[in-house]
Amino acid sequence: MSQTDVIFVDDEPDIRKAIAQALTLDDLAVSCFDNATDALAQIDRDYSGVVLCDYNMPKMDGLQLLSRLQQLDDTIPVVILTGQGDISTAVSAMQQGAYDFIEKPFNQEELVELLRHALEKRQLALENRRLKAQLKQLAKPGPRILGGSATMQKVMATIDPILDISANILLYGETGSGKDALARYIHENSRRSSHNFVAINCGAVPENLIESELFGHEAGAFTGAEKRRIGKIEHAHQGTLFLDEVESMPMPLQIKLLRVLEEQKVERLGSNQVQQVDVRIIAATKSNLKTLSDQGVFRADLYYRLNVVKVDIPPLRDRKEDIPTLFHHFVLIAAARYDRESIPLNAGQATKLTHHDWPGNVRELRNLAERYVLLGPAALDETDTAQDTNVNGRRTLAELMDGFERLALISALNACHGSIKDTMVELGIARKTLYDKMKKHGLDKAEFKE
């Protein structure tokens, strides 16, 4: 959603213009529409503003729009403009769940005050929803995925609806971006969490051993096989099998894995008996499996079997607003592990981290956090901050100020969970100033809502 406080719907252009000007002068961001259908297309459950609409409109009137919004989210405040003396309309609107109504002609100050109260109510509703979701999340066992950036919210929006569905998942992301952590999160928050999470790195096991690792073997199946061994697939029965670097799997083994996926059966090496298995596969890759399958390096049929749900994990350089939170988290873990004090970053140090390119992604950040705990702030000097300089190796005062301003905005928006009102108070600036600075730095309040 765009940063809009009020969505105003009225089929009269003069009224739309007059109200838009009045609300803008009172620092309320407004978007106007001449019909309810177009307005509805711009509203979702995360919309943080108010809907102001006329009652008498063609095709879909104010009460019909109210009904549609109630189905979408009954906490979105709807204020209806009614004709003078039209008491029955006002009563119907209130009975159907409208926040309030206001009669034409109305007092501008009265309208603005009404809308501001409605905005506060909407912010409280969203905050309550966020807190309930947070409490639900904290009550779950196992690992948690940190990050309030828009890219990570998109990842979680893809993952959460399928946690309890046994569909295979393909995780795509650069080395160190957190594929293993996300796989463990999926398992621990699914119905399979009481059973085994079994991980194997297909690129780290020698080709002559990986088949035995996955499928197991009977005693005497080959030289050195002195006793029966249960393979990774069988060990993951009713649980989750995580295949990291799946692009490294030898072609003959790809064929056998495809059969397991199709039949849900596994046969140990040296055995003539098949074992029934119920396994969810989460595969991870840093390569484009579709391209590899087109090249004949990776089986296309196996690719489509694994790629039931694909999740693209963003590199750390594309979610830099998450860096301070992640770094603080890793520092706390390292401090507890090494029995050291955790020293908070100052603004300059945090800015330095956000300007780094992080080729090693989250893994690199975690390693730096450990060195920071062990060596102190001097560890940050080791970080290559090539992006933090211009071609002359220096940054101008304007560039430094812009960087600090952006970091201050991100910090305040994070602390206020995207609430514009709270962020205004936190930074001591007017609403329009805040919006202008957010637009300048490419920030959207939706990115900071949990």
Side-chain angles (χ1 to χ4, degrees):
M1 272 303 304
S2 59
Q3 297 167 347
T4 302
D5 295 319
V6 181
I7 284 181
F8 176 46
V9 192
D10 197 301
D11 59 326
E12 293 289 339
D14 291 340
I15 294 178
R16 289 199 306 273
K17 183 177 179 180
I19 289 184
Q21 289 177 343
L23 297 184
T24 301
L25 287 173
D26 275 283
D27 286 334
L28 289 173
V30 58
S31 294
C32 296
F33 298 89
D34 60 7
N35 66 88
T37 302
D38 289 347
L40 272 172
Q42 300 301 313
I43 302 172
D44 58 22
R45 277 179 51 82
D46 293 325
Y47 173 57
S48 59
V50 180
V51 175
L52 173 66
C53 67
D54 190 25
Y55 169 69
N56 290 304
M57 294 186 294
K59 296 184 180 179
M60 186 187 303
D61 64 26
L63 292 185
Q64 291 172 321
L65 174 58
L66 171 63
S67 177
R68 293 284 296 276
L69 289 170
Q70 291 276 305
Q71 295 172 23
L72 176 66
D73 184 348
D74 61 7
T75 67
I76 296 176
V78 179
V79 177
I80 294 183
L81 296 174
T82 64
Q84 189 173 19
D86 197 351
I87 300 300
S88 60
T89 299
V91 171
S92 296
M94 299 298 287
Q95 288 176 339
Q96 292 186 34
Y99 176 78
D100 211 333
F101 70 94
I102 190 166
E103 286 185 332
K104 301 176 185 175
F106 50 81
N107 179 277
Q108 179 179 322
E109 292 182 0
E110 180 184 346
L111 174 62
V112 170
E113 184 179 2
L114 177 61
L115 293 175
R116 289 200 185 280
H117 285 308
L119 274 171
E120 289 178 3
K121 181 182 179 182
R122 178 58 175 162
Q123 293 298 328
L124 284 173
L126 290 175
E127 180 71 5
N128 286 336
R129 182 188 300 169
R130 183 192 66 78
L131 289 173
K132 286 179 182 178
Q134 190 177 52
L135 288 172
K136 183 179 178 182
Q137 187 63 37
L138 290 173
K140 293 180 180 179
R144 294 172 179 83
I145 304 300
L146 298 176
S149 62
T151 51
M152 283 309 297
Q153 290 302 311
K154 183 178 179 181
V155 168
M156 300 314 296
T158 303
I159 289 297
D160 284 342
I162 60 168
L163 288 174
D164 288 326
I165 301 173
S166 294
N168 295 327
I169 298 174
L170 180 62
L171 305 180
Y172 174 76
E174 296 178 3
T175 299
S177 58
K179 298 186 289 293
D180 179 88
L182 188 58
R184 291 179 185 276
Y185 170 87
I186 294 169
H187 172 77
E188 293 293 344
N189 289 278
S190 72
R191 293 194 182 103
R192 295 176 175 267
S193 60
S194 59
H195 299 280
N196 292 329
F197 175 85
V198 182
I200 183 170
N201 188 315
C202 302
V205 181
E207 187 171 338
N208 62 329
L209 295 178
I210 190 170
E211 185 175 4
S212 173
E213 281 289 312
L214 279 173
F215 293 89
H217 60 257
E218 296 289 344
F222 52 83
T223 303
E226 298 178 356
K227 59 182 180 179
R228 173 187 290 178
R229 186 178 188 279
I230 301 298
K232 300 289 189 184
I233 298 174
E234 199 173 342
H235 187 52
H237 177 59
Q238 295 186 318
T240 304
L241 177 66
F242 176 51
L243 299 174
D244 199 5
E245 296 189 28
V246 70
E247 72 276 7
S248 303
M249 183 176 288
M251 185 63 74
L253 201 57
Q254 293 181 30
I255 299 172
K256 294 194 69 172
L257 179 62
L258 180 63
R259 182 180 176 187
V260 172
L261 292 176
E262 290 175 341
E263 301 178 2
Q264 290 288 291
K265 294 177 181 178
V266 64
E267 185 176 324
R268 303 185 195 115
L269 297 180
S271 174
N272 293 320
Q273 294 182 337
V274 294
Q275 308 295 324
Q276 195 77 32
V277 290
D278 170 20
V279 178
R280 181 187 208 173
I281 304 288
I282 300 178
T285 180
K286 60 180 180 295
S287 305
N288 189 321
L289 290 190
K290 180 64 170 64
T291 300
L292 294 181
S293 67
D294 292 341
Q295 295 171 350
V297 180
F298 195 88
R299 287 188 65 92
D301 44 8
L302 177 58
Y303 164 69
Y304 288 113
R305 277 285 183 177
L306 296 174
N307 190 34
V308 177
V309 177
K310 184 184 178 188
V311 181
D312 293 313
I313 304 176
L316 193 56
R317 62 180 173 273
D318 290 344
R319 45 181 295 220
K320 290 193 172 183
E321 53 268 51
D322 293 337
I323 289 174
T325 301
L326 288 168
F327 188 80
H328 178 65
H329 173 71
F330 293 138
V331 163
L332 291 177
I333 292 175
R337 179 185 303 161
Y338 299 117
D339 194 23
R340 295 289 186 91
E341 182 183 0
S342 59
I343 306 172
L345 293 174
N346 60 40
Q349 291 167 334
T351 301
K352 184 175 184 178
L353 293 184
T354 58
H355 280 83
H356 182 48
D357 200 34
W358 300 106
N361 290 296
V362 177
R363 186 176 298 156
E364 180 186 358
L365 182 67
R366 183 182 61 204
N367 291 341
L368 178 62
E370 289 201 5
R371 294 199 302 275
Y372 177 77
V373 168
L374 294 172
L375 304 176
L380 302 181
D381 296 335
E382 303 171 14
T383 307
D384 177 15
T385 53
Q387 283 197 334
D388 200 26
T389 60
N390 59 24
V391 292
N392 296 318
R394 302 180 182 86
R395 297 184 72 214
T396 65
L397 178 61
E399 289 171 334
L400 288 168
M401 293 300 292
D402 275 350
F404 181 81
E405 182 178 76
R406 188 176 194 278
L407 181 65
L409 286 168
I410 289 173
S411 177
L413 285 163
N414 264 325
C416 299
H417 309 294
S419 167
I420 295 299
K421 180 182 177 183
D422 292 345
T423 305
M424 289 165 53
V425 175
E426 180 79 11
L427 296 175
I429 57 177
R431 182 183 297 269
K432 187 176 186 305
T433 302
L434 176 58
Y435 277 135
D436 288 344
K437 290 186 180 297
M438 289 172 64
K439 183 177 180 181
K440 171 186 173 183
H441 294 289
L443 302 175
D444 189 328
K445 62 183 177 183
E447 300 173 5
F448 303 92
K449 295 183 183 299
E450 295 184 5

